[in-house]
Amino acid sequence: MSAPLLSVTGLHKHFGGIAATDGLSLEIADGEFHALIGPNGAGKTTLIAQLSGLLLPDAGSIRFAGRDITDWPAAARAHAGLARSFQLTSVFNDFTCLDNVALAVQAHAGHSFRLWAPARDDPALREPARRVLDEVGLGERADVLAGNLAHGEQRQLEIAMALATSPRLLLLDEPTAGMGGADSERMTAYLQSLRGRCSMLLVEHDMDAVFALADRITVLVYGRAVASGTAQEIRANAEVRQAYLGEDD
Amino acid sequence: MDWVLLIEQCLNGFQLGVLLFLIAAGLTLTFGIMDFVNLAHGSLYMLGAFFCATLTLWTDSFLLGVLLGLPAVLAAGMLIEVTTLRTLYQRHHLDHVLATFGLILFFNELVQVIWPLDGLRVPFPPAFDGSVPLILGIEYSAFRLLIIVVGLAVAAGLWFLVARTRIGMLVRAGAANPAMVSALGVNIRLLFTFVFGLGAALAGLAGMLVLPILGANSGMGEQIIILAFVVVVVGGIGSIRGAFIAALVTGLIDTLGRSFLDVLLLAFLPTNAAEAAGPALSSMLIYIFMVVVLFLRPQGLFPPGR
Amino acid sequence: MSALLPASPRAWFAAVVLALCAAMPVIAGAIDEPYYMDIFARMMIWAIAAVSLNLILGYGGMISFGHALYLGLGGYTVGICSYYGIDSALVQWPLALVIAALVALAFGAISLRTRGVYFIMITMALAQMVYFLAVSAEEYGSDDGLVIYTRSELGGGFDLNEPLHLYYTIFGCLLLALYFTRRLVASRFGMVIRGVQSNETRMETLGFATLRYRLAAFVIAGVMCAAAGVLSANVEKFVSPDALHWTRSGELIFMVVLGGMGSLFGPVAGALAFWLLAEVLSRFTEHWHLVFGPFLLLVILFARSGIDGLFGTRDDAG
């Protein structure tokens, strides 16, 4: 059994008196699509923040691709192959879609101390960016300012930016948040097509998406993993159904 | 070791610290609660001095000058807040800074138009015009002692207000979570105006306390405002306790530094270098201190818990 | 040929203003008011300083309240060199730029770890620290300032004592500053700086170690501003601690905002407008700050996008 791609052990994070993450352990194998579900306030976004490096845990460790990244800054983790999309859309509103994705490409195209040549004319940045935009379905909207996109399109842009960095592990925080039925399905179908290209940790409330995509699911309640297993196992787990899935029906 | 000088300078340092606290308290409150950067706070300090000076010369009583001047500064502060600054709370800090910068220019010019060009002076109030004997045969200026006493009393009063009264609780809550306080039905605009007015009154009081010593002059605000900012930042934005401690420390460092740094330097450097470096370093000392503190604790010494 | 003609109202405006600057010596000569050449020379120097500040403030979102410091550094380098008999520009000018770079590197390293209000204050305080250093330097004039008896010697037929040479050197530097900024802003580096202003968290998450880029921008801006300081010392033949005071930095920020933050030509328009307004107002009354102060306030309240904003939203950032 090869070493897991991501291994979280005993993660703790407190805010004042509240334990947002309370001894959480989790493993994701290489190539696996893993979903994280749980009621609001369970600490899902806090976990993503600690994984992506925007928040440092109080205790515990995070290993990624064989290295201990617990203390690493966000930028270093991105270079190790970790990419993240945000629950609340976080793009560059004053830049076009193409600029947005090109920036993501640029982040992994060496250093950016190039002070002279115009970035917009650089095929090394534009080509890959266009490809990702086309894939995600935003090809037509490449020259629209990100701030002017419809909500669903912005969610697509979020994914595009994360993908453009050619990650090994995609951390997706509610990618279908705020999306209507048809858009959600399209997004889910697209995420399915990523199988084999990268691994995924998906935080989602949309159960259809979760069961369509996830190989394994972890249920998070009050900062702890209360159940972890395959989609079948979780679906069959009576406690989980009652505590969480039951409410959601 | 000249103990007399040391003790005197420590007292002077406390005096400066207490004045800085009065100014910094208002500043840190407006930062902490309204997230508003008020560069023109020094103008309120200046207005306090001018109001008090005019009233003192008019009534022939410094006490009356202060008692009548305080409501005047309070009113001025609240007027400014309501008419011009209120709309800026939602904006970026840059807008606060620039708008209040415009106010500084305006007020500096206004006092030159309304009052004589080279400012006003008032004599020391007769009751405090002299010195008080202290330990070791030291005679210390009675008025400066008054400043220290008044400053500490105000600090205590402020602590009581913030820690023990309902208004103070609202102020603290507003500092931690203005949206929540507003949602609870508190008239947040009134609260903000009150906080701003309180800060203005404190700054104005500082101006009044300094009046017999320095006089009232256009531009006096700019000289003190940077030190006040240093105090706020070192103490932790939004923290009155932090402002108090930082103010005292700042006052002491600045005063003792100016008095004793050249002595200290002479112990290590040749005379020429010490004499050249002394004045330069002593005025820079407080900024070096700020840099060191912020390097070690970027949020200041006592940032209020959020 | 059509590629050379200004493409938009914005571009026309910039072209007209620059043409006016280029032609001013001729115009001033024609109407026999050499004083105008002086005014424009000073305004262009402020424009260069504003262009440098716009780089970090307008494009980078870094509210530095200590930028005037670099004007002072540039000026004092020229002044102090001249004091010791070193008049060659080949020594003075590179030295000024190096000193500015080192100071910007040190101060930037300290300040850029802070955010928001802390950043504003720490930049203000650091600049004030240097102000006090200048004031306490008895040797170099202290409060009264330092008189510079000889302008920098450029050699090669350029004589800065010739008004035309000096004027066009300044004009040339302004054009250089604008061109350099234009390329910088459109480059990969520029995109990073602009991205950081737009959404710093996202930049970090994408993989940009933003501190080093912001620091580099800070240094570049400081160096450019020092160049303006060098020119200023040559025009005024004088430098004083006032150049370093935080209120000077405030004026610079104003010029950038007045012209329109994050626009290429904005800072130039802002510097010119600021100066023109100050000149005009001060002719009416010595108490012109009474009008100027509220004017600044009104601009912030109602005309926030500045002069550039008058041309409508930009179709592409910059």
Side-chain angles (χ1 to χ4, degrees):
Chain A
M1 175 101 171
S2 56
L5 180 62
L6 179 73
S7 169
V8 178
T9 319
L11 214 60
H12 282 270
K13 183 68 185 175
H14 296 256
F15 294 111
I18 303 176
T21 310
D22 196 12
L24 175 66
S25 297
L26 178 65
E27 270 186 15
I28 300 180
D30 202 354
E32 180 183 319
F33 277 22
H34 197 106
L36 195 63
I37 64 176
N40 282 321
K44 303 191 291 296
T45 300
T46 309
L47 175 63
I48 299 282
Q50 288 172 83
L51 290 177
S52 63
L54 293 178
L55 211 54
L56 289 179
D58 296 327
S61 77
I62 305 171
R63 290 191 73 84
F64 181 71
R67 289 181 287 183
D68 187 340
I69 65 166
T70 320
D71 296 324
W72 286 24
R77 298 186 200 207
H79 284 283
L82 213 57
R84 178 208 172 149
S85 79
F86 288 76
Q87 179 188 352
L88 288 174
T89 304
S90 176
V91 295
F92 303 107
N93 287 318
D94 300 321
F95 286 168
T96 63
C97 287
L98 193 55
D99 283 337
N100 267 267
V101 183
L103 250 183
V105 173
Q106 186 182 322
H108 293 256
H111 70 77
S112 287
F113 282 106
R114 283 164 228 255
L115 276 56
W116 202 251
R120 291 206 170 98
D121 296 343
D122 193 342
L125 299 179
R126 303 316 254 188
E127 299 301 304
R130 273 195 199 281
R131 274 201 297 276
V132 175
L133 273 180
D134 286 335
E135 246 183 62
V136 142
L138 282 178
E140 308 287 296
R141 309 282 273 160
D143 294 317
V144 176
L145 289 183
N148 292 341
L149 291 176
H151 176 78
E153 291 172 321
Q154 285 186 337
R155 303 304 293 155
Q156 286 169 285
L157 183 59
E158 275 283 336
I159 308 289
M161 285 169 75
L163 264 178
T165 60
S166 305
R168 288 190 65 178
L169 177 62
L170 259 182
L171 301 171
L172 300 180
D173 198 346
E174 298 194 38
T176 64
M179 278 175 143
D183 282 343
S184 276
E185 280 170 21
R186 257 197 300 274
M187 174 67 85
T188 306
Y190 174 67
L191 292 178
Q192 273 177 316
S193 73
L194 295 176
R195 196 171 278 288
R197 269 172 74 174
C198 60
S199 315
M200 187 188 292
L201 175 60
L202 175 72
V203 169
E204 253 305 344
H205 279 295
D206 179 349
M207 285 303 133
D208 293 331
V210 169
F211 287 120
L213 288 166
D215 300 321
R216 297 181 69 243
I217 301 176
T218 295
V219 182
L220 202 62
V221 179
Y222 292 134
R224 296 187 134 266
V226 300
S228 192
T230 64
Q232 307 334 41
E233 289 165 6
I234 295 297
R235 240 205 268 247
N237 186 320
E239 287 169 42
V240 172
R241 290 178 77 124
Q242 199 177 36
Y244 180 57
L245 296 176
E247 290 169 19
D248 223 64
D249 272 306
Chain B
M1 175 82 265
D2 188 349
W3 290 108
V4 172
L5 186 62
L6 181 64
I7 294 179
E8 272 177 3
Q9 294 298 47
C10 280
L11 285 171
N12 284 341
F14 271 120
Q15 183 225 302
L16 176 60
V18 140
L19 280 173
L20 282 176
F21 169 69
L22 289 176
I23 302 173
L27 211 49
T28 207
L29 278 178
T30 41
F31 284 163
I33 295 172
M34 290 104 90
D35 198 22
F36 185 76
V37 187
N38 181 14
L39 237 50
H41 199 67
S43 297
L44 293 163
Y45 161 82
M46 178 181 72
L47 283 179
F50 272 101
F51 286 160
C52 180
T54 306
L55 290 163
T56 302
L57 292 171
W58 193 41
T59 64
D60 239 352
S61 158
F62 183 69
L63 183 62
L64 275 182
V66 172
L67 289 179
L68 294 175
L70 275 177
V73 180
L74 179 71
M78 296 207 285
L79 189 67
I80 295 172
E81 195 265 353
V82 167
T83 53
T84 50
L85 301 181
R86 197 171 256 198
T87 50
L88 293 168
Y89 291 144
Q90 307 297 346
R91 308 251 214 125
H92 290 307
H93 292 146
L94 180 61
D95 291 14
H96 305 167
V97 151
L98 292 178
T100 50
F101 184 65
L103 283 180
I104 292 178
L105 296 182
F106 174 72
F107 281 118
N108 275 344
E109 203 60 50
L110 188 69
V111 301
Q112 288 193 332
V113 167
I114 298 180
W115 284 283
L117 260 173
D118 44 357
L120 290 176
R121 297 204 65 99
V122 301
F124 284 94
F128 294 94
D129 189 10
S131 34
V132 169
L134 299 174
I135 55 168
L136 292 187
I138 300 171
E139 298 263 324
Y140 193 63
S141 154
F143 191 77
R144 286 177 187 262
L145 213 49
L146 176 70
I147 294 180
I148 296 178
V149 169
V150 168
L152 289 177
V154 170
L158 196 61
W159 170 79
F160 184 79
L161 179 75
V162 171
R164 291 290 157 96
T165 65
R166 191 165 171 275
I167 279 267
M169 183 203 68
L170 287 175
V171 163
R172 273 180 296 138
N177 195 338
M180 189 50 134
V181 173
S182 190
L184 289 174
V186 174
N187 187 340
I188 202 90
R189 298 180 84 173
L190 204 57
L191 184 66
F192 283 4
T193 305
F194 167 75
V195 168
F196 195 84
L198 179 64
L202 290 171
L205 178 61
M208 295 176 197
L209 288 173
V210 130
L211 180 59
I213 304 177
L214 294 181
N217 308 287
S218 167
M220 65 193 277
E222 280 68 272
Q223 294 156 11
I224 200 98
I225 195 74
I226 294 254
L227 269 187
F229 279 168
V230 169
V231 165
V232 167
V233 158
V234 164
I237 293 183
S239 165
I240 296 198
R241 176 174 57 138
F244 185 69
I245 296 177
L248 289 182
V249 171
T250 302
L252 280 171
I253 290 182
D254 195 58
T255 310
L256 292 176
R258 283 175 203 279
S259 313
F260 295 108
L261 191 63
D262 29 12
V263 173
L264 206 62
L265 284 179
L266 276 172
F268 297 105
L269 297 176
T271 324
N272 283 344
E275 276 178 16
L281 265 183
S282 58
S283 43
M284 284 167 55
L285 204 57
I286 199 62
Y287 300 106
I288 298 174
F289 168 66
M290 179 196 72
V291 166
V292 169
V293 169
L294 286 183
F295 203 74
L296 298 173
R297 286 178 69 104
Q299 301 285 76
L301 293 173
F302 302 98
R306 281 209 168 226
Chain C
M1 180 60 195
S2 63
L4 283 177
L5 287 178
S8 63
R10 225 175 223 109
W12 270 106
F13 174 69
V16 166
V17 171
L18 286 175
L20 186 64
C21 289
M24 190 42 67
V26 178
I27 299 173
I31 60 174
D32 198 23
E33 294 264 23
Y35 170 64
Y36 281 114
M37 222 168 91
D38 258 345
I39 296 187
F40 266 75
R42 291 196 172 89
M43 292 200 292
M44 288 197 296
I45 288 174
W46 278 100
I48 297 174
V51 167
S52 75
L53 180 58
N54 188 37
L55 201 58
I56 52 175
L57 174 65
Y59 289 109
M62 298 175 242
I63 308 173
S64 169
F65 227 93
H67 203 64
L69 159 68
Y70 301 101
L71 273 176
L73 284 179
Y76 267 102
T77 307
V78 169
I80 294 177
C81 280
S82 177
Y83 185 81
Y84 290 116
I86 305 171
D87 293 313
S88 166
L90 293 177
V91 173
Q92 291 178 344
W93 294 19
L95 185 61
L97 300 185
V98 165
I99 290 176
L102 291 175
V103 170
L105 196 60
F107 285 4
I110 299 170
S111 336
L112 288 169
R113 288 173 205 279
T114 63
R115 292 282 181 280
V117 174
Y118 291 97
F119 180 73
I120 297 176
M121 287 187 201
I122 201 172
T123 51
M124 195 186 257
L126 286 174
Q128 224 23 33
M129 191 172 83
V130 180
Y131 168 79
F132 282 122
L133 187 63
V135 165
S136 64
E138 297 283 342
E139 185 72 18
Y140 306 122
S142 167
D143 268 76
D144 300 325
L146 184 62
V147 174
I148 303 170
Y149 295 99
T150 2
R151 294 202 160 100
S152 306
E153 280 158 18
L154 278 178
F158 277 92
D159 181 9
L160 290 181
N161 291 298
E162 289 288 321
L164 280 184
H165 287 203
L166 182 57
Y167 188 89
Y168 284 112
T169 302
I170 299 173
F171 182 68
C173 287
L174 177 59
L175 290 181
L176 265 177
L178 283 170
Y179 183 63
F180 178 68
T181 303
R182 183 170 147 173
R183 297 224 57 141
L184 189 71
V185 159
S187 72
R188 288 199 188 194
F189 181 79
M191 295 303 276
V192 174
I193 296 300
R194 289 154 66 190
V196 168
Q197 166 163 226
S198 180
N199 191 335
E200 185 169 0
T201 309
R202 197 68 210 243
M203 291 297 283
E204 290 274 340
T205 312
L206 285 177
F208 289 106
T210 59
L211 182 62
R212 67 187 65 157
Y213 295 106
R214 289 187 300 138
L215 186 56
F218 200 75
V219 170
I220 293 173
V223 168
M224 199 190 283
C225 193
V230 161
L231 293 172
S232 176
N234 274 287
V235 165
E236 312 282 348
K237 296 181 80 170
F238 176 73
V239 63
S240 87
D242 283 343
L244 296 154
H245 202 259
W246 69 266
T247 46
R248 257 313 126 79
S249 295
E251 288 171 4
L252 258 182
I253 296 181
F254 238 111
M255 292 179 207
V256 174
V257 172
L258 190 59
M261 296 213 305
S263 72
L264 189 60
F265 199 70
V268 180
L272 295 189
F274 190 92
W275 261 81
L276 278 174
L277 191 64
E279 276 290 317
V280 166
L281 283 179
S282 57
R283 301 228 176 163
F284 280 107
T285 164
E286 56 170 322
H287 298 296
W288 58 281
H289 270 176
L290 270 182
V291 177
F292 202 57
F295 170 75
L296 297 181
L297 182 58
L298 288 173
V299 167
I300 292 303
L301 287 176
F302 301 116
R304 188 56 177 74
S305 2
I307 295 175
D308 183 78
L310 296 174
F311 291 96
T313 48
R314 289 193 290 275
D315 56 357
D316 119 77

